Amino acid sequence: MTPLVHFDEVCVEYDAGREKTLALQPTTLEVAKGDFIALVGPSGCGKSTILKLASELLAPTAGHIFFAGRELGAEPVRVGMAFQSASLLPWLSIRDNVMLPLKIVPPFREHYRAKRKGEYRDRVDALLAQVGLLDFADKNPWQLSGGMQQRANLCRALVHDPDLLLLDEPFGALDQFTREELWSTLQDLWMARGSTVLLVTHDLREAAFLANRICVMSARPGRIIEDRQVTTPRPRQISQTFRPEFVSIVEQLRELIVHAPAAPQIPEAAQ
Amino acid sequence: MTPLQRKFASAALIVGVFAFWELVCLIFGISDLVLPRPSQILSTFIEYAPAIWPHAWQTLYTTMVGFVFGVAIGLALGVLIGSSKLAFDTAYPLLVGISSIPKVAVVPIFVLWFGAGTVPAILTAMIICIFPIVVNVATGIATVEPELEDVMKAMKASKRDILWNVGLPRSMPYFFASLKVAITLAFVGSVIAETVASNKGIGNMMMIASSMFNVPMVFAGLLVLSVLGVALYAIFSLIERRVAGWAMRKGS
Ligand SMILES: Nc1ncnc2c1ncn2[C@@H]1O[C@H](COP(=O)(O)OP(=O)(O)OP(=O)(O)O)[C@@H](O)[C@H]1O
Ligand SMILES: [Mg+2]
C-alpha cells in the first residue's frame, strides 16, 4: 500500500544570506494513513523542519515528498497545525477561534456564510464538548487557563478533518499534570477520528505514551537514526507509563539521543 | 480608593490647578497682558462667544475633513506597508522623511498651490495625522506572531485571508490608539495653517488678537482648542473601548 506521506531522500539547507545551514540530511520516512508518529531528537536537529516540509511551508532543497503517491503540491493537502503557544485570536470567542479553519479551508469555506450558525457551529461544539470546553465556547481566550487554551488549539487544528495533523511540541509549556491530561485527550481524539499525526516533542514519556512509532533523530544536520514501534495496546493509561517495560523504552530512547553519534557530514556545497 | 472616588479626586485636582493659577495671578499681581487669569479667559470667552463661534466652527471643520482624509489614506498605506516587504522598504523612509519636515514649512507650498484659506488647513491637518496612523496600522499587521502565520499558511490561507482574519483585527487596537493621537495632531495642523494663511479659524483669530495685545482673547482661543481636543479625544477613546475592548482584557 502506498504510504500517505513519503519523504524520499529529502534534504534541507537553510540559506540565510552568506551562511548556509544544513538542517536535514537526506532523510527517508514513510507515514501510513492513520498512524501516529513521534519525532524526537536533540534541539536543532530538524524536527520542526520536517513539519514545515509536510505542511508545504518549506520546500525541500533536494529530494521529493509524496502525498498519497503524488508529489506534494500537485493538489492541496489538508493540514492542521498546532504549536507550543496556543496563538488563539484574542478578539474571537473560543468557538469562533475553533471555527476559523472552516472559514479558510476548502471545501468548507464556500459554505461558511450559510452554515456558520448551523452545521459548522454544531460541528465545533461537538468537538469542544469532546475536550470538555463546551462551557467555555463563548469565552475569550484570555479567560482560559493555558491547558484549556491548548485544548482549543488542538480543536482548531482538527476541526477541518485534516489529512495530516502536525503538532510541534504542543504541550511543551504546560505543567506535568495538565500535560498528562492532554495526552489522554489527544489519544481519545486520535482514536475517535483516525487522523494521521506527526508529533514533535522533547518529552520521551509523551512520545512513548502517544505514538505508534517513534523516530529518533541525530544532532544537526539531522537524520533518522532509529525507528521504533510502540505496540502497547490502546487506550493506554497514564499509570502504564510508570511500568518497567515502558520506563525501559524511555531509557533506551534517552540513551540514543544523548549518545547520538555525531552524524557523518555529507560534503557541503561550496561556501 | 473606589473608581468613583478616584474620578472625583482627579476632577478636584484639575479644578485645583486652575484655582492655583487664578490665585498666583492675583497674589503676584500678574498683568493680563502676560498671563490672564482663568476667570478672565472664561469671561472673555463668554463675552465674545458669538464672534468666536464661526472661527471655532471653521477650525473644527478643516480639522475633521483633514482627519477623515488622513485616516483613510493612513489606513490604506498602513495596510499596504504592513503586508508587503517591498512597500515597507520603499514607503517607510519616505514617510519618516516627510514627517520630519516641520509642518509650518509646507503651509506656504499649499498656499502657493491652492491659495490661502480652507484647503491648506485641511491638507496640513491631513498630512500631520497620516504618519502615526500608518506606523501603528503597519506595526499591527506586520507583527503577527510567526507561529500563528504558520498555522494560517498550513491551512493554505491566502495573504488576503491572513490580512482579513488576523492582520487587520489585530491592528485595530493600534489603529484606535493612533486615532487619539491623530485627532489632536490634526488640530495642530489646522491651526498652524490658519495662523499662516487664512482669514478664518481659531488660529487666525488668535493671530489677530495677539497683534492687538488682546491676550485674554488669545487664551480664549487656546481654551476653545483644548476643549475641542479633549472632547474629540474622549469620543475616540470611547469608540476604541467599544471596538477594540478585547485588547484591554476586559470581559466581553
Ligand atoms: N529560518 C531558518 N534560517 C536558518 N536556519 C534555520 C532556520 N530555521 C531553522 N534553522 C536551522 O535549522 C536547524 C533545524 O531547525 P529546526 O527548527 O527544525 O530544529 P528543531 O529540531 O525543531 O529544534 P528544537 O527542538 O529546538 O525546536 C537548526 O539548527 C536551526 O539553526
Ligand atoms: Mg522545533
Side-chain angles (χ1 to χ4, degrees):
Chain A
M1 212 179 98
T2 42
L4 185 70
V5 189
H6 180 190
F7 287 75
D8 184 19
E9 298 287 309
V10 173
C11 170
V12 172
E13 191 174 54
Y14 284 106
D15 191 353
R18 59 174 54 198
E19 214 178 317
K20 288 190 172 147
T21 320
L22 185 64
L24 205 60
Q25 299 193 51
T27 298
T28 297
L29 174 67
E30 293 187 0
V31 183
K33 189 166 163 50
D35 213 350
F36 196 134
I37 297 187
L39 286 170
V40 298
S43 183
C45 68
K47 303 181 294 292
S48 299
T49 301
I50 288 185
L51 294 197
K52 281 190 183 158
L53 288 167
S55 57
E56 295 177 70
L57 292 173
L58 187 72
T61 313
H64 299 274
I65 305 171
F66 299 96
F67 184 86
R70 303 184 56 178
E71 183 113 32
L72 195 65
E75 50 192 300
V77 176
R78 218 186 283 166
V79 171
M81 212 165 182
F83 290 92
Q84 179 169 340
S85 75
S87 60
L88 300 168
L89 308 178
W91 55 91
L92 294 180
S93 67
I94 293 299
R95 180 182 288 119
D96 290 341
N97 263 290
V98 173
M99 211 183 286
L100 186 68
L102 303 181
K103 194 176 176 183
I104 287 171
V105 178
F108 301 101
R109 70 179 292 159
E110 283 85 47
H111 310 288
Y112 179 73
R113 277 174 178 281
K115 297 189 178 170
R116 70 188 157 136
K117 297 235 167 81
E119 190 186 320
Y120 288 0
R121 189 188 154 108
D122 295 342
R123 185 190 179 101
V124 169
D125 283 4
L127 193 55
L128 286 174
Q130 229 171 349
V131 301
L133 275 186
L134 190 53
D135 291 342
F136 296 86
D138 294 310
K139 293 266 192 304
N140 285 82
W142 73 85
Q143 295 166 308
L144 270 63
S145 72
M148 289 154 99
Q149 291 186 22
Q150 210 46 261
R151 280 169 203 268
N153 191 16
L154 277 183
C155 290
R156 181 177 65 183
L158 273 172
V159 71
H160 53 301
D161 271 334
D163 299 313
L164 255 184
L165 177 60
L166 306 173
L167 305 174
D168 198 340
E169 298 177 39
F171 313 130
L174 304 175
D175 67 272
Q176 194 60 47
F177 291 110
T178 314
R179 201 183 291 185
E180 286 171 2
E181 258 175 51
L182 274 147
W183 294 351
S184 300
T185 307
L186 179 57
Q187 177 177 250
D188 294 346
L189 285 170
W190 175 72
M191 287 176 67
R193 304 181 144 245
S195 334
T196 310
V197 186
L198 267 178
L199 166 79
V200 166
T201 178
H202 279 141
D203 185 337
L204 300 175
R205 267 181 75 224
E206 177 173 307
F209 177 81
L210 281 169
N212 288 345
R213 262 172 78 194
I214 302 175
C215 295
V216 183
M217 295 180 67
S218 72
R220 184 175 68 89
R223 77 197 158 89
I224 295 172
I225 53 173
E226 169 85 9
D227 190 338
R228 168 186 289 254
Q229 305 279 334
V230 184
T231 48
T232 320
R234 312 259 182 181
R236 299 172 184 165
Q237 308 296 330
I238 297 291
S239 56
Q240 283 175 291
T241 63
F242 300 103
R243 301 249 175 84
E245 64 272 19
F246 196 94
V247 172
S248 92
I249 296 179
V250 171
E251 258 169 14
Q252 288 166 27
L253 290 174
R254 190 178 164 278
E255 283 300 302
L256 273 170
I257 292 171
V258 174
H259 299 295
Q265 293 268 336
I266 58 162
E268 292 221 16
Q271 305 240 314
Chain B
M1 270 198 275
T2 65
L4 193 70
Q5 278 175 320
R6 219 168 25 233
K7 264 185 195 152
F8 186 77
S10 67
L13 215 61
I14 292 171
V15 173
V17 169
F18 285 106
F20 179 72
W21 174 356
E22 183 90 28
L23 270 176
V24 168
C25 289
L26 279 175
I27 291 169
F28 295 101
I30 297 173
S31 152
D32 64 0
L33 278 179
V34 180
L35 182 66
R37 284 176 279 126
S39 60
Q40 287 175 311
I41 297 169
L42 206 61
S43 65
T44 311
F45 171 72
I46 292 165
E47 189 180 336
Y48 292 102
I52 294 175
W53 186 238
H55 291 294
W57 184 245
Q58 167 75 8
T59 301
L60 187 64
Y61 166 73
T62 54
T63 302
M64 289 314 289
V65 174
F67 175 72
V68 167
F69 280 112
V71 169
I73 295 173
L75 195 57
L77 269 180
V79 169
L80 189 71
I81 289 179
S83 41
S84 148
K85 190 90 187 65
L86 181 68
F88 186 92
D89 292 342
T90 326
Y92 211 85
L94 278 177
L95 273 170
V96 174
I98 290 172
S99 75
S100 341
I101 301 171
K103 297 302 167 294
V104 200
V106 297
V107 179
I109 301 173
F110 289 147
V111 174
L112 211 65
W113 289 345
F114 303 104
T118 307
V119 180
I122 289 177
L123 288 179
T124 316
M126 183 184 92
I127 58 163
I128 207 171
C129 68
I130 287 179
F131 188 67
I133 295 173
V134 172
V135 171
N136 278 279
V137 172
T139 308
I141 291 174
T143 54
V144 172
E145 299 85 345
E147 295 188 345
L148 184 55
E149 205 168 322
D150 281 355
V151 167
M152 297 293 289
K153 282 186 183 159
M155 295 188 238
K156 317 286 183 294
S158 64
K159 275 203 127 180
R160 204 166 141 256
D161 286 333
I162 298 181
L163 179 69
W164 202 248
N165 288 291
V166 182
L168 271 181
R170 182 173 197 293
S171 70
M172 280 304 109
Y174 296 87
F175 173 65
F176 282 101
S178 72
L179 284 191
K180 293 187 297 185
V181 178
I183 189 67
T184 49
L185 284 179
F187 268 110
V188 175
S190 308
V191 174
I192 287 175
E194 287 165 359
T195 319
V196 179
S198 180
N199 51 7
K200 235 176 152 191
I202 295 288
N204 174 256
M205 182 193 90
M206 283 163 63
M207 272 304 278
I208 293 172
S210 81
S211 69
M212 299 190 309
F213 295 102
N214 187 353
V215 182
M217 188 70 168
V218 175
F219 275 81
L222 289 181
L223 177 72
V224 172
L225 285 178
S226 45
V227 167
L228 284 176
V230 168
L232 285 166
Y233 185 95
I235 289 172
F236 283 103
S237 300
L238 207 72
I239 297 176
E240 179 185 16
R241 221 167 313 155
R242 275 292 173 86
V243 181
W246 58 266
M248 297 170 192
R249 301 287 142 105
K250 297 224 175 76
S252 49

